[in-house]
Amino acid sequence: MDIDMSDMEEDEFQDAHESLPQPTSMDLDTAIMEARKAIHCFFNNDFDEARKIMEPWANSSMYHSLGTSVFAFLEAILTFEQSHIEKAAVAVRQCMTVCLKQRKHTTLTQNIGKMVKRTNYDSYTIEEVHAELCYAESLLLKSMLTFVEDETLVSFVKAGLKIRTCYLSYKECLTILNNRKWESEAHRIHFESGVRTGIGAFNLMISLMPAKIIKLLEFIGFSGDKDYGLSELEAGYKERAGLRHVLCVMILLAYNLLVTFILSHSDGDLDWCERVLEEELSLYPNGVWFLFFKGRLELTRGNFESSVDWYTKSWKSQDLWPQFHHICFWELMWAHCALQQWSQASTFANILATESNWSRTTYFYQRAATLIMQNPPSNSEEKQTIDTLMMQAPTHKQRIAGKSLPMEKFVIKKTKRYFAQKKRLVLPIFELMYVWNLFRTVGKRQDLTLNMFKVIEDAEKELARAPKTEFHADNEGLILLLKGACLRQMKHPLLAENCLRRVLELDKSIKEDTYLLPYTTVELALLAHDQGNVPLAITYLEDARKNYSGYVLESRLHFRIHSDLMTLTGKKPEDILS
């Protein structure tokens, strides 16, 4: 039985469900139907009802068990609390156990036989086929949870091995899809929906990795093709009857509105996002996820005032998961920073620092940075708050997979600089906006870019008047990079190039902020590309990739360089040599 939620009102669905005879065991068709209902509840913010549908059968039905695992997993990554992580791990292990019981069991002889002749997938029952897919999905959840279950390098390696097993399981599902005779079109569509989601997501994810990582992944059996990954996800999205349709929508929205803006210098497909969000918001007008993505769409277009309205709607649409509020608060903080509304930005930074467990080191510093931009008097309460935040920020440093978080390392260096420079920092929030790749979004608004440019020029004049310190070149280099980036957005290429070249001339004088040099080189590449000089842009990107190492936020820049090189050269990831 297959019910298309896009064509049925919720109360009609409820009537259809209640009219069914209540089984003593859960058959596949009923399980899929209930999974669809749970998805519908979930995206309507009725999280408790979604859980109630899934949990009673979680120890025996693969789809109910998988749904329970997904909800527990989302809660774990939103809260980052150990009790929720442990609860999610238990749910995922239970799901794997349920799926293993229902998967096709093969003997050693049969496994050896698979190597010499094609498997007859028609011999698999429909339950065994779907169990294979649900098992692959539970493996993916397990591998991602492994990253946050503990902080050792061993867990990082374990996660990598689990991801490889998961990837191979998805490839097996793709083989089943293409080599099986399907008696039920509905069963095929649901299975195909899951396969396309998994294969598409893996290819997309791997294709985004820098060349060095891709070489390693290929050595252990991974491969990634961005165009293929996107086409698979697009196909999964177009099959609206498929159970994972909405998951394809979420992945594609996240890629186009978040990933491309953090890990590249190119926009995602914003027109596609607008069309899809219009469709989804007509189905789920109060859905927290789609309201959030609508806010993100407006922000990426430079419509910061409108983005504030949509993020606020998302935040206020539900209270069951207050942790999701924090994601909205993060975005609201940056929207207000772009508008130079420092008081509002500081308010949201303070809420994050008080309530969120993700990275208090970063939150404390960001709040201090927003307060600095307000230029409080030296003896004011705000100045004392800045001092306290700068002292406390390093004490909340975390280690994930045995390593410090790059942004926290960056922030801690800046807190030390604050005290080394007699409680002064140069444009700290603009610096954060630059490394978070927000200048390109602000650049879509010439009025906001001009406002930012004026503040940078004032800081430049102030630095020129101040006595020179050991960090003078670092501060000068930062101002010149920010100024050059603004001028590029304002379409003044010669002035921008002059500023950026002056940064590189400070090479021998910069004491600590060596990241300025490769980031400036990439900015020169973007400037060359703006002017249509693709060969020069490629040369600058290669220089940034090969000639600099060991600086803070290096991986972040390498992701962007990799993406830009693929775009400009037209090469596949594996063709870009490390």
Side-chain angles (χ1 to χ4, degrees):
M1 180 176 181
D2 184 36
I3 296 177
D4 189 346
M5 293 305 301
S6 63
D7 298 326
M8 180 174 284
E9 296 296 326
E10 187 176 3
D11 55 347
E12 293 177 324
F13 188 96
Q14 181 72 24
D15 292 340
H17 174 59
E18 290 177 352
S19 66
L20 292 171
Q22 298 303 308
T24 55
S25 62
M26 184 61 64
D27 64 277
L28 182 63
D29 289 328
T30 306
I32 291 174
M33 186 201 70
E34 293 210 337
R36 288 182 71 88
K37 185 188 176 189
I39 289 170
H40 187 66
C41 292
F42 181 80
F43 284 101
N44 262 336
N45 296 350
D46 197 348
F47 306 129
D48 277 343
E49 182 62 25
R51 280 200 191 96
K52 287 177 184 176
I53 294 169
M54 294 286 97
E55 287 180 351
W57 294 91
N59 63 348
S60 59
S61 165
M62 67 182 96
Y63 275 106
H64 289 74
S65 189
L66 182 61
T68 301
S69 298
V70 169
F71 297 148
F73 171 80
L74 288 172
E75 189 169 20
I77 62 172
L78 284 174
T79 63
F80 220 63
E81 293 177 3
Q82 192 61 35
S83 61
H84 292 149
I85 292 170
E86 291 171 359
K87 178 183 175 184
V90 170
V92 171
R93 282 196 295 271
Q94 177 178 259
C95 181
M96 293 175 71
T97 300
V98 170
C99 293
L100 280 169
K101 287 179 180 177
Q102 299 182 54
R103 286 173 76 205
K104 180 77 168 178
H105 294 286
T106 56
T107 65
L108 178 60
T109 303
Q110 288 171 321
N111 283 328
I112 295 172
K114 287 176 69 174
M115 291 186 264
V116 295
K117 68 176 183 177
R118 180 180 295 180
T119 303
N120 179 16
Y121 291 109
D122 291 334
S123 67
Y124 284 42
T125 67
I126 194 62
E127 287 77 14
E128 288 171 340
V129 165
H130 277 268
E132 195 69 38
L133 177 59
C134 291
Y135 183 70
E137 291 169 326
S138 64
L139 273 175
L140 182 58
L141 293 176
K142 176 61 178 174
S143 59
M144 288 190 287
L145 269 178
T146 304
F147 282 114
V148 295
E149 277 186 291
D150 63 69
E151 301 175 356
T152 65
L153 187 58
V154 173
S155 74
F156 188 84
V157 174
K158 284 181 178 178
L161 293 173
K162 287 186 175 72
I163 288 175
R164 182 176 185 275
T165 304
C166 175
Y167 182 62
L168 294 175
S169 189
Y170 269 116
K171 288 184 75 174
E172 177 76 359
C173 290
L174 180 61
T175 304
I176 293 172
L177 175 66
N178 293 329
N179 293 279
R180 176 186 168 84
K181 293 177 183 177
W182 295 87
E183 297 178 358
S184 165
E185 182 66 6
H187 288 160
R188 184 197 63 77
I189 287 172
H190 291 312
F191 187 81
E192 182 176 353
S193 172
V195 173
R196 290 191 184 279
T197 303
I199 294 292
F202 264 109
N203 273 273
L204 182 59
M205 177 180 66
I206 296 168
S207 72
L208 297 171
M209 301 293 176
K212 287 182 180 179
I213 297 176
I214 286 177
K215 291 291 183 184
L216 175 62
L217 291 173
E218 286 179 337
F219 179 73
I220 59 173
F222 285 106
S223 62
D225 184 318
K226 184 174 78 169
D227 292 337
Y228 176 57
L230 288 171
S231 67
E232 286 294 284
L233 289 165
E234 180 80 14
Y237 152 71
K238 288 179 178 177
E239 187 51 79
R240 298 190 65 87
L243 188 61
R244 281 86 170 175
H245 155 81
V246 73
L247 186 54
C248 289
V249 170
M250 294 290 287
I251 294 171
L252 286 168
L253 287 172
Y255 170 74
N256 284 298
L257 296 176
L258 293 168
V259 174
T260 57
F261 279 83
I262 296 171
L263 301 183
S264 79
H265 294 103
S266 303
D267 283 2
D269 191 340
L270 302 187
D271 291 338
W272 181 91
C273 293
E274 184 172 23
R275 291 194 305 273
V276 170
L277 283 168
E278 187 175 340
E279 293 173 2
E280 298 303 329
L281 283 169
S282 68
L283 292 172
Y284 309 107
N286 297 312
V288 61
W289 305 91
F290 296 118
L291 289 170
F292 169 82
F293 279 124
K294 178 63 174 176
R296 183 69 194 180
L297 174 63
E298 294 302 319
L299 183 138
T300 55
R301 285 178 162 166
N303 302 326
F304 297 101
E305 297 89 347
S306 179
S307 76
V308 168
D309 292 338
W310 285 103
Y311 286 136
T312 303
K313 287 179 184 177
S314 176
W315 146 37
K316 293 185 176 181
S317 69
Q318 60 85 36
D319 291 316
L320 188 63
W321 279 2
Q323 296 80 15
F324 194 88
H325 297 174
H326 301 155
I327 301 175
C328 296
F329 296 160
W330 172 270
E331 296 286 312
L332 283 162
M333 181 190 68
W334 291 119
H336 286 298
C337 284
L339 296 166
Q340 293 195 36
Q341 296 171 344
W342 304 121
S343 178
Q344 294 94 320
S346 180
T347 296
F348 287 111
N350 185 43
I351 295 172
L352 288 168
T354 304
E355 297 180 2
S356 177
N357 293 326
W358 269 96
S359 175
R360 287 189 171 170
T361 292
T362 303
Y363 296 147
F364 277 39
Y365 178 75
Q366 285 175 168
R367 188 184 175 215
T370 57
L371 291 172
I372 287 172
M373 298 302 288
Q374 298 177 54
N375 296 314
S378 56
N379 295 323
S380 66
E381 184 180 337
E382 289 82 2
K383 188 67 173 177
Q384 293 174 6
T385 300
I386 293 169
D387 294 348
T388 302
L389 290 166
M390 290 293 191
M391 285 188 290
Q392 290 181 348
T395 66
H396 295 280
K397 180 181 177 182
Q398 302 178 88
R399 295 182 72 83
I400 304 296
K403 293 188 176 183
S404 301
L405 300 177
M407 181 53 73
E408 290 193 350
K409 291 169 71 174
F410 178 83
V411 161
I412 289 168
K413 280 190 174 185
K414 291 298 174 178
T415 61
K416 292 177 181 177
R417 175 81 64 79
Y418 173 78
F419 291 107
Q421 294 183 154
K422 299 180 180 180
K423 299 182 180 180
R424 293 178 64 83
L425 279 179
V426 174
L427 302 174
I429 205 70
F430 284 179
E431 182 179 30
L432 286 175
M433 290 173 70
Y434 185 81
V435 298
W436 279 112
N437 218 4
L438 283 165
F439 266 49
R440 56 190 285 253
T441 308
V442 177
K444 296 179 181 181
R445 286 274 296 274
Q446 289 299 298
D447 58 330
L448 299 181
T449 308
L450 181 59
N451 290 343
M452 183 180 283
F453 182 76
K454 290 176 181 177
V455 176
I456 295 169
E457 277 201 315
D458 289 343
E460 186 178 34
K461 292 172 185 175
E462 185 178 345
L463 182 68
R465 292 192 298 265
K468 288 193 175 182
T469 67
E470 60 177 323
F471 297 109
H472 181 84
D474 299 62
N475 293 328
E476 183 182 2
L478 173 61
I479 288 173
L480 287 169
L481 172 56
L482 298 179
K483 187 177 178 181
C486 270
L487 286 165
R488 183 174 78 82
Q489 298 294 343
M490 295 162 68
K491 312 301 181 190
H492 296 300
L494 294 179
L495 292 173
E497 184 176 1
N498 178 56
C499 288
L500 298 171
R501 289 197 178 282
R502 286 169 62 192
V503 178
L504 298 183
E505 290 170 4
L506 295 169
D507 184 2
K508 305 298 182 184
S509 304
I510 289 175
K511 179 180 175 65
E512 196 171 78
D513 291 338
T514 55
Y515 85 93
L516 294 170
L517 302 169
Y519 274 75
T520 296
T521 305
V522 170
E523 194 68 33
L524 281 165
L526 298 173
L527 183 63
H529 182 243
D530 290 344
Q531 297 175 284
N533 194 338
V534 173
L536 181 59
I538 292 172
T539 298
Y540 276 128
L541 290 170
E542 292 287 7
D543 286 348
R545 187 166 65 93
K546 294 177 180 178
N547 297 340
Y548 301 96
S549 63
Y551 53 91
V552 293
L553 305 180
E554 181 175 355
S555 294
R556 175 178 305 220
L557 188 61
H558 274 257
F559 274 104
R560 296 173 189 168
I561 292 170
H562 169 72
S563 176
D564 292 342
L565 284 172
M566 282 201 300
T567 300
L568 295 180
T569 63
K571 293 180 179 179
K572 297 292 185 183
E574 60 271 17
D575 297 326
I576 297 176
L577 299 177
S578 56

